[in-house]
Amino acid sequence: MKHKILVPSIFSGFKSKKLITFFCFLSIAAGIYLQLLPSLLLKQITDEHIVPGIAQGVLSLAFVYLGAVLMSGAADLIKQYTLSRLTQSVIVEIKIQMSEKLRHLSIFTIQSKTSGEWMSYFSNDVDTIATLFTDDILTLIANLGSMAAISFTIYTLNPAVAFFVAAALPILVLISYRFNILTFRNQLKARASLSRLNGWLNSRIQNTPTLRFFHQEADQLDKLQAPLDENYRILNKTNFYDSLFPCIMNIFRGLVLICFLLYAKQDIDSGGLLSSGSVVACVNLLLQLLAPVEAIAMQLQTIQEAASGVKRIKDFENLEEEERAEREINGGGAVIRCDDLTFAYPNQKPIFDGLSLTIRQGERIVIQGKTGEGKSTLMNLLTGLYAPDKGTVSLLNKDPFGMSEEERRQSVGVISQLFLTRQGTIRELITLNDPAITDEQLKKCCKLVKMDEVIEKLPDGYDSMLAPGSNALSNGQMQLLALACALIHEPPVLFLDEMTSGLDAESENEVFEVIRQLSQDRTIFTISHRYSDALNPTCILKLQNGRLVIAD
Amino acid sequence: MYFTSPQQKQELKSYIKQIRMPLLLSGLGGLPYNCLSALVPIIQGWCIDQVLGGSYDDVVYAVIILAAVTIAYQFFRFFKRYSVRVMANRLSANLRYSLMEALFHTKNDELELKGSGDVLNTCVKDVDLLVEAIRKTVTEIWDTWVLMLAYLAALAMLDWKLTLLGCIPLPFAILCANAMKKKVVAENELAVKANSEASVKLKKTLDELTFARMSGCEELNLKALREAFQKQGDTNGLASFMKNGLAPIYLGIASLSVVVVVGLGSLKVVSRSMSVGALLSMISLMGTLAQRSTVASKVFNVQQGAIASWHNIFALLNREQDGSGESLSAPVNTLELAHVSYMYPQARHTAFCDFNLKVTKPSLIGIRGAVGSGKSALARTLCGFYDYEGSYKINDCEVKELSEASRAALLKYMPHQLSCVNGTLCEVITWGSHPDNDYKESKRQACLDELTDDKEIGENGSQCSSGQQQRISLARVLYSAAEILILDDPFANVDHKTEIQLIDMIRELANRKIIFVFSHRPLIFDVCDRVIQLEGGDCDEA
C-alpha cells in the first residue's frame, strides 16, 4: 500500500488557497503589462510633445506614468505576498503528508536510515521542490512573459530590431545558463568543503577536554590550517565566477545597445520607420531586457537542481507501507498468548519457527538467553512492534500489532533502554505528551517509584530538561523514571527489557525493590541476560535455538 | 595562505586590521567603479542625442566611448566585488582559527556549561553572519553611499533644480522602510524560532520513533510535529513576504522622484532648454537612485543581526583562559588532597566535600562506591582539568596553579567513555606519530592485539565494540609517560579473562607510578595498596 504525496499535496496546497492562487496569476499578468508602460509613455511624450514642441498635456502624461509605476508596484506586492503564501502552503502540505506516511512505515524501514537521513527529506528536499512548483515555475512564467512582451513591443516599434533581439536573446540566455552551471558546480564543491570543515570543527569541539588532557592544542591548531585553506581556496574560486558573471552580462547588454544605436542612426538617416520616440522607447526596453534573461537562466538551473529533490521525494512516496488493522484475537483466558509464531527479519533466516507461549493473569515471566537468541525480538512481537510472518499473537484478546494507540497506552507498559535516549522535560518524558494525564496522576506515579522527592529538589522540578548525557539524574534514577513512564496509565501488563544492565548492585537492588512492590496484580514479562531472582518470578524460561524451554 | 589569530583577540578591529590589504584593494576598485557607474547613463543619453541629431561619424565616435566606458566600468566592478569577497573569506577563516584557539584553552568546566552544539553554532553560523554583515557594510559604503553621492553629483550636473525637486520623495521612502524595519525583524525572529522548533521536534520524533510506537505515543508526537510544521509555514510565509515583498511599497514612494523628472524634464525639453538624451540620463539616474535609497536601510538589519553574533563570538573569545602557570616536571613523589570539594558545573550540590587523601609513589589506589557517591567527580578532580575547592598538591605544588602543559604531562585521565577524533588505531593512541615501540607496548598492555594498527576507529570509537573502546582509551593513557594515572571504570564491558590480564598489568605498572582505579567490579580491589569506599560524598578507608 502506498499513499501518493507529491502531486496531491501540490494540488491541495493550491486548492486550499483558491483566492490567493487567482490573485497570484492576475498579479503576474498585470505586472508583465505594466512594466511596458513607462517606455511606451516616454515614446508618446517624445513623439507627440517633445519633437513638435507642444507642452500641453505633458503633465497629464506624467501622472499616467505615475499611475503605471504605482500599479506595477501594487502588482509586485500582491505577487510577492501570494507567492510566499502559496509556497508555504505547499511546503506544509507535503510535510504533513510525509509525517503521516512515517506512521505507516514498518519499524525496519525506519531503522534502515539514520534520523539525519530522514530529516533531509523533510528539510532540503521538500523546500526545494515546493519552491520549484510555486516560486520557480510561476516566476519563470512571469519572466518568459515579460521577455515576450518586451520583444513584442519592440516588434511593434520596429520589426527589424525585434529580429535582431530575437537573434541575441538565445545567446544571452545560453551564456548566463553556462555561467550558472559553472557557479553551481563550484557551489557544490564549496558546500562539500564547508561540510568537511564543519565536521573537523565539530569533532574537535566535542573532544576539546580530551585534547587538553593530552596537550594536543597546538598540534590541532596546526592541522586546522589545511581544512581552512581548502575552504578558502574553493570559496575564492566560486566568488571569482560570481563576481565575473554580472560584469560579462552587462558588457553584452552594452554591445546589444551599441548595435541598436548604430542601426537606429542608419535607419533615421535613410528615412526608415524609427521615430525619435521609438528610439527612446527601444533603448529603455533593451536595458530592461537583461533582468528576465538572467532570471530565466537562473531558473533553468534551479529547476534542474530541484529534479534530484523530486526524485528523492518520489523515493519516499514509494516506500512500502504496513497495514495495521484492529482485530480481536481470542487468547483463551490468557493475558498474553502466541501460537505457532514464525518470524524473520527482512532478508534474514527465521528466528522463530512455530513458537508458542501462554502467560496468564498475574504471572511474572523471566526470559533468559544469550545475545542474538531473539529475546528482544520476542518482546517486540508480543508488544506489537513487529508483525509475525505466521501464527498469531494475542494481548488481552487483541492483536497487539493493530492495537490503537489509546488502547496500547491503557494496556501495556514497556520499560526499555530506549527511554534513556529520549530528551524532554521530566513531565513530557513520563506522560508521553498525553494531555489526559493530570499533574496529580504524574505526582502520584512518581511517588510510586520513589522519585517525587528527587524531582522536586531539581531546580525546575517536573519541568527540568533531561537529555542523554546530562548528569542531572543518575543512571538508576533514570531507570526509575522509565518505570514511572510505563506505569503512568496504570496498565495491567508490564514488559521489562534488560532493566538493570549498566547498574551496580546497589542501584539494581533499589530498582528491583520498587518493581517488586508494583508487581502485585500485574502480569510481568521480563527479558534479561543475567539470572536474577530479585523479581520473584513465577516462571523462568530460556530462549534457545528459537524455542522456549524451562530454565534449570 | 596561513591563518592566524590577531594580537588583541577580543577586539573586532584587530580582525579588520588583519584583512586591510584586500580591504584597500576593494576600495581602489570601488571608487572608479562608482564614478563610472554615474557616467554610463550620461553617455547613453549623449549617444541618443547623437543618433537623433548628429552625423553618422558622431554616433560611431559616441558609441566607441560608450563601449570603452562600459568595459572599464565592469572591469572595476569585478575587481571590487571579487576583492570584497576574498576579504570576507579570509576574515571568516581567521575568526574560526581564533575561536578554536580560544576554545582549546578554555576551562573544561566552562566548556561543559556552554554545550558543544552552541559552540559549533557560533564557530559556523555566527562567524558567517558576522562576516556577511561586514562584507555587506563594506559593499554598502561603496554601492550605496558613494554611489548615491556620485549619482547626485551627476544629476546636479545635468540640472540641479530638477534634481533638488526630484529628491524630495527619497527621504520619505527611507523613513517608511525604517519604520517597517522593526516589524520585519520581529517577524523574521518568529520564523527562525519556528524553524528551529520544527527541526528539533522532527529530530526528536524520528529519534524516538521506536520507543513511541512501542509505548503508543506516536500519534501524539506526530500531532505535535504537524502543529510545528503549520506554525513554521505561517511564520515563514509572512517573514519572507515582509523581507522581500515590501520593497514595491518603498520603491513606489521613491518612484515619485522619477515622475517629477519625467514631467518637469519633458517640459524643459519641449522648451528646448534640455536635450532628449539628458532627460533620458536623468530618468535612468533617478531610477537607480530611488532603488538604492530603499535598500540602504536594509543593510542596517544585517548589522543588527551581526551584533548578536559578535556577542556570541566575543563570549567564546573572552572565556577565562587556562594556559600559563607554574611548571613542574617529573619525578612525582607525593600527591595530597586536603579539604577538597567538587561540584559539577550544572549541579547545585557538591558531588563530595572535604575530601582528604595523601599518597606517595608508588601506589595503587582502588576507589569504589555506589552510583551517585561521587566516584566520577573524584576522578575528574584528580585529573587536574576541572575546578575544585580546597587544596590539591603534587610535590607541594598546587595543581590549579600549574601550567596546562605540566598538568597534561604529569597526569593522565581515562574517562569512562572513549573520546577521540576520527583516525586509525595508531593515530588515536599516539596522536599521530608512527607506530613506535612504546605504542606496541601499550597496545599489548591494553590487550588490543586483535586490532590492526591501521584499523579505522571512527569518531569516539564508533566503529569499535564498547569493550574495544574502553581498551583503546586505556592504551592511550598508558602510551604517555605520565606518572599519575586516573582510570575511571577501565573494566566495564571487558570480559572476565581480559579483566584479569588488565589487573595484572595495572598492578605491575603501579610499582613505578601512582594509579587510581575507579570501578564497581570487585576483582581489582584485591591487589590494591589501598581501597577507598565513597559514600554519599564521604569516604572510608576500607
Side-chain angles (χ1 to χ4, degrees), chain A residues 167-373:
Chain A
L169 270 183
I171 301 175
L172 279 177
V173 173
L174 201 71
I175 293 172
S176 43
Y177 178 60
R178 282 274 134 208
F179 251 104
N180 273 310
I181 287 182
L182 208 59
T183 311
F184 175 63
R185 279 194 198 136
N186 277 303
Q187 273 167 354
L188 279 187
K189 278 192 212 157
R191 231 178 288 171
S193 108
L194 188 67
S195 92
R196 277 196 295 276
L197 175 65
N198 287 350
W200 197 99
L201 294 176
N202 188 26
S203 74
R204 268 61 179 186
I205 290 170
Q206 283 186 347
N207 287 298
T208 303
T210 310
L211 296 176
R212 286 159 50 75
F213 298 150
F214 288 88
H215 202 50
Q216 295 295 316
E217 301 93 327
D219 231 38
Q220 290 295 326
L221 277 178
D222 263 354
K223 287 184 182 155
L224 174 58
Q225 294 290 344
L228 279 181
D229 190 58
E230 188 207 323
N231 189 242
Y232 175 74
R233 275 167 208 278
I234 290 175
L235 280 181
N236 278 354
K237 201 174 160 196
T238 313
N239 289 337
F240 178 82
Y241 292 112
D242 281 351
S243 313
L244 194 59
F245 170 61
C247 302
I248 298 275
M249 286 304 282
N250 272 301
I251 289 178
F252 268 93
R253 181 174 75 166
L255 204 66
V256 170
L257 191 67
I258 285 168
C259 291
F260 168 74
L261 289 172
L262 290 173
Y263 168 80
K265 182 68 201 163
Q266 276 185 333
D267 189 84
I268 287 176
D269 283 353
S270 61
L273 289 164
L274 275 173
S275 67
S276 303
S278 304
V279 173
V280 172
C282 278
V283 168
N284 244 3
L285 290 169
L286 283 175
L287 291 177
Q288 260 183 13
L289 200 56
L290 198 63
V293 168
E294 277 182 16
I296 286 169
M298 180 100 86
Q299 268 140 9
L300 288 179
Q301 166 71 34
T302 40
I303 287 170
Q304 274 193 349
E305 278 169 54
S308 65
V310 173
K311 195 184 161 297
R312 279 176 51 86
I313 297 293
K314 280 270 161 208
D315 290 343
F316 186 93
E317 204 175 71
N318 285 332
L319 292 171
E320 197 60 51
E321 292 175 23
E322 279 182 337
E323 275 181 72
R324 282 185 286 248
E326 287 187 50
R327 46 185 191 137
E328 309 260 323
I329 295 179
N330 192 348
V335 173
I336 301 170
R337 176 175 175 147
C338 59
D339 285 311
D340 203 19
L341 197 62
T342 302
F343 178 79
Y345 283 101
N347 311 319
Q348 280 178 34
K349 277 192 291 185
I351 292 196
F352 306 125
D353 198 354
L355 183 106
S356 296
L357 173 71
T358 307
I359 302 174
R360 294 186 186 284
Q361 165 74 31
E363 280 192 291
R364 294 182 291 278
I365 305 282
V366 173
I367 306 274
Q368 297 185 327
K370 279 185 275 187
T371 318
E373 288 283 1

Side-chain angles (χ1 to χ4, degrees), chain A residues 412-479:
Chain A
V412 278
V414 183
I415 299 148
S416 147
Q417 294 300 314
L418 289 174
F419 183 85
L420 306 178
T421 63
R422 301 174 67 211
Q423 54 177 322
T425 64
I426 292 182
R427 186 189 308 277
E428 287 165 358
L429 290 186
I430 296 180
T431 62
L432 301 171
N433 286 323
D434 188 341
I437 303 287
T438 61
D439 273 10
E440 283 73 48
Q441 276 173 292
L442 175 63
K443 277 181 190 149
K444 198 180 129 204
C445 184
C446 289
K447 197 166 187 161
L448 215 59
V449 298
K450 301 189 168 140
M451 281 295 290
D452 54 330
E453 283 176 18
V454 180
I455 293 171
E456 268 152 28
K457 261 189 209 155
L458 291 172
D460 298 319
Y462 285 92
D463 294 313
S464 307
M465 278 296 288
L466 294 183
S470 66
N471 358 332
L473 292 179
S474 77
N475 227 339
Q477 289 169 329
M478 287 302 291
Q479 301 277 9

Side-chain angles (χ1 to χ4, degrees), chain A residues 42 45 49-51 53-55 58 62 65-66 69 73 76-77 80-81 84 88 92 95-96 99-100 102-103 105-107 110-111 115 118-119 122 198 201-217 220-222 224-225 228-229 232 235-236 239-240 242-244 246-247 250-251 257-258 261 265-266 276 280 283 287 324 380 385 405 408-409 414 418-419 422-423 432-434 459 471 474 504 506-507, chain B residues 1-3 44 47-48 50-52 54-56 59 63 67 74 77-78 81-82 85-86 89-90 93 97 100-101 103-106 108 111 116 120 124 199 202-204 206-211 213-222 226 229-230 232-233 236-237 240-241 245 248-249 255-256 258-259 262-263 266-267 269-270 272 276 280 283 322 344 348 370-371 383 385 404-405 408 412-413 419-421 431 459-460 476:
Chain A
L42 277 181
I45 292 174
H49 298 275
I50 291 175
V51 176
I54 305 168
V58 168
Y65 190 100
L66 172 66
V69 168
D76 204 12
L77 192 73
Q80 295 273 10
Y81 178 74
S84 50
Q88 288 303 327
V92 169
K95 281 187 184 170
I96 286 179
S99 67
E100 207 62 49
L102 274 185
R103 174 84 182 103
L105 295 178
S106 81
I107 209 79
I110 304 260
Q111 285 169 349
S115 61
W118 288 114
M119 279 183 72
F122 279 84
N198 287 350
L201 294 176
N202 188 26
S203 74
R204 268 61 179 186
I205 290 170
Q206 283 186 347
N207 287 298
T208 303
T210 310
L211 296 176
R212 286 159 50 75
F213 298 150
F214 288 88
H215 202 50
Q216 295 295 316
E217 301 93 327
Q220 290 295 326
L221 277 178
D222 263 354
L224 174 58
Q225 294 290 344
L228 279 181
D229 190 58
Y232 175 74
L235 280 181
N236 278 354
N239 289 337
F240 178 82
D242 281 351
S243 313
L244 194 59
C247 302
N250 272 301
I251 289 178
L257 191 67
I258 285 168
L261 289 172
K265 182 68 201 163
Q266 276 185 333
S276 303
V280 172
V283 168
L287 291 177
R324 282 185 286 248
N380 289 341
L385 191 63
E405 295 220 312
R408 179 186 301 280
R409 290 198 296 271
V414 183
L418 289 174
F419 183 85
R422 301 174 67 211
Q423 54 177 322
L432 301 171
N433 286 323
D434 188 341
N471 358 332
S474 77
D504 53 69
E506 283 157 66
S507 314
Chain B
M1 198 65 220
Y2 195 78
F3 305 100
Q44 273 171 6
C47 285
I48 290 174
Q50 299 308 314
V51 169
L52 297 180
S55 69
Y56 190 74
V59 175
V63 155
Q74 295 301 338
R77 183 184 184 196
F78 164 74
R81 275 173 73 102
Y82 183 57
R85 281 167 170 76
V86 168
N89 296 339
R90 198 181 292 178
Y97 181 90
M100 286 309 273
E101 192 181 45
L103 187 75
F104 283 161
H105 294 289
T106 302
N108 286 0
L111 284 177
S116 57
L120 182 68
V124 178
S199 122
L202 176 63
K203 178 155 196 323
K204 198 164 124 65
L206 288 164
D207 282 344
E208 295 173 6
L209 200 129
T210 307
F211 179 85
R213 195 167 285 181
M214 225 190 264
S215 314
C217 63
E218 203 181 357
E219 286 289 353
L220 292 173
N221 287 354
L222 286 175
R226 281 196 287 273
F229 283 154
Q230 197 70 55
Q232 187 188 20
N236 274 287
S240 88
F241 168 64
I249 296 184
S255 297
L256 287 173
V258 184
V259 177
V262 170
S266 301
L267 287 178
V269 180
V270 170
R272 306 288 175 226
V276 179
L280 286 180
I283 291 175
D322 185 11
Y344 281 105
R348 289 189 154 187
V371 169
C383 86
F385 279 89
E404 271 182 319
K412 277 292 171 305
Y413 167 50
S419 141
C420 66
V421 299
W431 292 98
E459 182 126 349
N460 293 334
R476 194 168 58 176

